[in-house]
């Protein structure tokens, strides 16, 4: 016998309640998770529809009391059942309950009342109205008289205007409506998020772009489902390719989803889509209210829009026939959820594309090592574009060794080269961008004289400086007291790195008191629209220098920027994380790409204590392949993703001892029982998480590496089923191939 847990109505309120039914044998081959089925419900056994969330071999209730599924509804509401299948995928691959996974894919919590525009219309003849008016006047019914006077003039009045400007109560309006003197009409209005003028001047693709677009379009037309990776330098025309493919897909009556990392930062790109698709495109972003979000989903379901642009949650737009999913800047960390279940939009998009037989296109100037690896192996079709679409020369890049600056007595954060070039630009009236990767700051410790970074003896990662003065490795738990002497050159000038954008701004203002300086970081962009304000001020040349974090490296074109200074390229390099080098390469390449976007030639100055690091050297050549070839060797050697797969088991408890006890227990269990039979699987730890306490909860981690992702999900499944855990005061969760250290 098989049993199905069925949800009868998909709305947030009902998610927690499923009903169990027997799957009769003739239906066993057709009923699957996500199926829409017809079931007898309640005492009257009225036939209603419900979705299958789960199928089990055992009944959770007395079997004699269970009813049977009547039939599978053909032509079911396909988009909902696809989303339920997507929830199942998330549950299986990232660890979660079905309910939590459903809450992610069905994010519309409840129907928010649609915004309505109501109007009041005169429902009687003018003659009758005049009669009524004189009656009201004689009776001193002033409110009634006032509204009627206006209606005799205008016939139709805006409801909101009547209640506010004329100060008429809703009771008065109701009275007149009941008397049939007026009637109220409402027209539903959708909250649209952006509006712009539509221009239909398509760019004609050049030969290289066309080859890619045609190849992908052919696959779509032939029904060959594939994933594509377009590695194309910034400005090579990837966005134009996406739009040509979307045109074809829309012409076939299908829809497109475009993921971008953050709307505010990619405003120019979003506007290009609005200009091309007008009302057929919509956006989702974090500043939308629930009502606005709901409207966008309703529009998608009603086929009023064909293209949805947004962050990773845009994947769950209830389109019924998706033709293409595009993930722009696919290497971006924001595509991985930081909350449980910690899914990666790229992997979920891949499943969604499979369910829809749609194309999945990933694009980036600096793809994630994972995607490029898959491209090289032929799992993805790989295309490369190394020329800018509009002729613009690539900038000249110079690496400055900050150790030399120190030796020659320059203790500021501006090398002599950078300072000279800044002076020159200011004289010429050209613009400068200074980039500081503050997010990478995590307290690594290095020698000021030789640049040596203090590393863990067991792992190829730097140690982190903890508040208690100890240096800790987050990959194996190795701990040592603070190093006072450089292990390489013996210098005592060893210390942690501390710099921030605010500090840079102060220094710049001191050095160049007449220059106009703007700063863009998480502090200066708290209010709505602050991004656009700063960016448009800079674009309008109201400032000479823009200082910022990674926010300033995204796709903005500033034609007068001819100098980009990367103040401390090392900042993201020595964080305790196997992806540190990848992130450094991406950031420097993108920051450097900001120089010389217009007719003027650009210069880039990269300041670093590690001028020999291959990620910095490759970035200075803007050479992705050079970087990849080196980095992949390191991943292969250490079995890090994408070569190996990594699962982090996070154990959290309000008591440190409990976290220690259960993480020890689990690690031992995984080693002794579970791994037996799973080939080439390695357990590291347990050790403290990189942030050992968050909000009074202590955190311990166990790392499990394997060549096989399935082996990891099997371990996850086994742990999820361990009964002793449900009774213990411990919370266990999983992170697969984490992007950041946990
Ligand atoms: P990417 O997405 O790779 O950064 P874009 O699609 O934004 O590149 O293209 C960069 C600039 O070049 C844009 O201003 C775009 O309009 C222009 N462009 C792209 N392709 C062509 C083309 N074939 N002909 C003329 N201009 C183009
Ligand atoms: Zn040293
Ligand atoms: Zn270590």
């Amino acid at each position: 016998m098989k049993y199905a847990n069925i949800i009868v109505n998909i709305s947030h309120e009902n998610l927690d309640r499923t009903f169990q039914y027997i799957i009769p044998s003739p239906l066993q081959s057709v009923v699957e998770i996500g199926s829409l089925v017809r079931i007898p419900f309640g005492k009257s056994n009225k036939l209603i529809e419900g979705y299958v969330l789960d199928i089990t071999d055992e009944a959770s209730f007395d079997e004699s009391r269970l009813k049977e599924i009547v039939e599978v509804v053909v032509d079911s509401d396909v988009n909902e059942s696809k989303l339920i299948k997507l929830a199942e995928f998330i549950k299986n691959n990232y660890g979660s309950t079905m309910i939590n996974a459903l809450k992610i894919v069905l994010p519309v919590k409840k129907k928010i009342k649609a915004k309505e525009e109501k109007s009041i219309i005169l429902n009687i003849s003018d003659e009758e109205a005049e009669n009524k008016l004189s009656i009201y006047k004689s009776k001193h019914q002033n409110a009634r008289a006032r509204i009627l006077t206006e209606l005799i003039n205008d016939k139709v009045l805006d409801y909101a205007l009547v209640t506010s400007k004329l100060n008429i109560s809703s009771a008065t309006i109701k009275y007149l409506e009941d008397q049939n003197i007026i009637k109220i009409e409402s027209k539903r209005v959708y909250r649209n998020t952006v509006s712009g003028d539509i221009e239909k001047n398509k760019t004609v693709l050049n030969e290289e772009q066309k080859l890619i677009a045609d190849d992908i379009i052919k696959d779509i037309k032939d029904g060959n489902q594939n994933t594509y990776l377009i590695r194309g330098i910034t400005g090579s025309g990837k966005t134009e390719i996406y739009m040509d493919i979307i045109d074809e897909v829309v012409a076939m009556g299908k829809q497109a989803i475009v993921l971008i990392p953050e709307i505010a930062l990619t405003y120019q790109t979003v506007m290009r889509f609005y200009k091309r698709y007008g009302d057929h495109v919509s956006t989702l972003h974090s500043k939308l209210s629930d009502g606005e979000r709901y409207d966008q989903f309703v529009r998608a379901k009603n086929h009023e829009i064909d293209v949805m642009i947004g962050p990773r949650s845009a994947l769950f737009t209830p389109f019924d026939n998706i033709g293409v999913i595009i993930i722009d800047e696919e290497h971006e960390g924001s595509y991985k959820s930081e909350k449980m279940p910690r899914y990666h939009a790229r992997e979920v998009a891949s499943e969604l594309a499979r369910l829809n037989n749609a194309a999945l296109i990933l694009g980036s100037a600096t793809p994630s090592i994972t995607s490029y690896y898959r491209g090289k192996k032929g799992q993805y079709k790989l295309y490369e574009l190394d020329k800018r679409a509009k002729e613009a020369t690539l900038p000249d890049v110079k690496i400055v060794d900050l150790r030399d600056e120190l030796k020659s007595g320059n203790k500021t954060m501006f090398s002599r080269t950078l300072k000279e070039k800044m002076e020159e630009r200011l004289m010429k009236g050209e613009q400068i961008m200074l980039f500081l990767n503050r997010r990478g700051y995590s307290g690594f410790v290095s020698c000021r004289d030789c640049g040596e970074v203090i590393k863990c003896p067991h792992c190829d990662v730097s140690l982190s400086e903890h508040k208690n003065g100890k240096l800790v490795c987050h990959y194996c738990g190795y701990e040592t007291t603070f190093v006072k002497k450089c292990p390489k050159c013996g210098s005592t000038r060893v210390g942690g790195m501390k710099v921030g954008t605010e500090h840079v701004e102060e220094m710049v203002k001191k050095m160049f008191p007449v220059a106009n300086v703007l700063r863009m970081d998480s502090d200066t962009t708290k209010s709505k629209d602050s991004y656009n304000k700063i960016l448009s001020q800079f674009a309008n040349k109201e400032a000479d220098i823009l200082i910022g974090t990674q926010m300033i490296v995204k796709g903005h074109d500033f034609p007068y920027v001819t100098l980009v200074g990367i103040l401390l390229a090392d900042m993201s390099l020595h964080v305790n994380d196997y992806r540190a080098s990848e992130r450094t390469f991406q950031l420097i390449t993108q920051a450097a790409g900001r120089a010389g976007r217009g007719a003027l030639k650009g210069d880039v100055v990269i300041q670093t204590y590690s001028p020999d690091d291959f990620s910095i050297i490759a970035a200075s050549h803007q050479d992705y392949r050079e970087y990849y070839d080196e980095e992949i060797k390191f991943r292969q050697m250490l079995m890090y993703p994408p070569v190996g797969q990594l699962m982090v088991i996070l154990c959290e408890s309000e008591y440190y001892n409990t976290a220690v006890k259960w993480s020890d227990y689990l690690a031992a269990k995984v080693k002794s029982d579970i791994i037996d039979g799973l080939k080439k699987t390695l357990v590291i730890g347990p050790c403290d998480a990189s942030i050992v306490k968050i909000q009074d909860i202590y955190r311990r981690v166990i790392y499990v590496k394997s060549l096989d992702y399935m082996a990891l999900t099997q371990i996850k499944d086994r742990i999820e089923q361990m009964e002793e855990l449900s009774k213990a005061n411990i919370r266990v969760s999983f992170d697969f191939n984490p992007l950041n250290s946990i």
Side-chain angles (χ1 to χ4, degrees), residues 456-461 463 473-478:
C456 172
H458 306 293
C459 314
D460 196 23
V461 289
L463 293 174
C473 170
H474 294 304
Y475 278 78
C476 69
Y478 172 83

Side-chain angles (χ1 to χ4, degrees), residues 446-454 485-494:
S446 68
C447 169
R448 293 288 190 270
D449 287 317
C450 75
E452 176 80 355
V453 173
I454 312 299
K485 239 174 153 179
C486 171
K488 195 171 168 201
C489 75
S491 162
T492 52
R493 294 169 19 86
V494 173

Side-chain angles (χ1 to χ4, degrees), residues 134-256:
S134 52
I135 295 169
Y136 295 152
K137 277 186 176 160
S138 67
K139 289 189 180 167
H140 299 288
Q141 291 167 335
N142 293 335
R144 291 178 194 170
R146 215 158 50 229
I147 180 172
L148 215 52
T149 309
E150 291 297 327
L151 277 171
I152 291 170
N153 285 337
D154 278 349
K155 304 294 179 292
V156 180
L157 293 173
D158 183 55
Y159 190 99
L161 203 83
V162 170
T163 51
S164 62
K165 286 259 171 59
L166 299 179
N167 195 20
I168 309 268
S169 71
S170 50
T172 303
I173 297 172
K174 179 89 174 35
Y175 168 82
L176 294 171
E177 193 185 6
D178 290 346
Q179 299 287 312
N180 282 321
I181 294 170
I182 60 170
K183 73 178 178 209
I184 296 174
E185 272 187 3
S186 53
K187 190 179 105 208
R188 172 143 195 213
V189 288
Y190 290 117
R191 305 165 182 90
N192 204 345
T193 51
V194 185
S195 52
D197 304 326
I198 305 171
E199 268 170 37
K200 288 264 176 189
N201 53 340
K202 268 208 226 172
T203 304
V204 180
L205 297 190
N206 63 34
E207 219 167 288
E208 285 159 308
Q209 288 169 311
K210 199 162 166 2
L211 278 176
I212 301 174
D214 286 350
D215 203 29
I216 298 177
I217 289 166
K218 184 171 185 305
D219 275 354
I220 296 176
K221 289 195 166 154
D222 293 349
N224 293 329
Q225 203 263 319
N226 259 315
T227 300
Y228 310 86
L229 171 64
I230 306 176
R231 183 190 66 76
I233 61 167
T234 324
S236 58
K238 298 184 290 298
T239 310
E240 297 293 339
I241 298 176
Y242 304 155
M243 291 197 287
D244 266 38
I245 294 168
I246 294 172
D247 285 348
E248 291 288 337
V249 161
V250 170
M252 292 167 75
K254 299 184 176 194
Q255 302 95 34

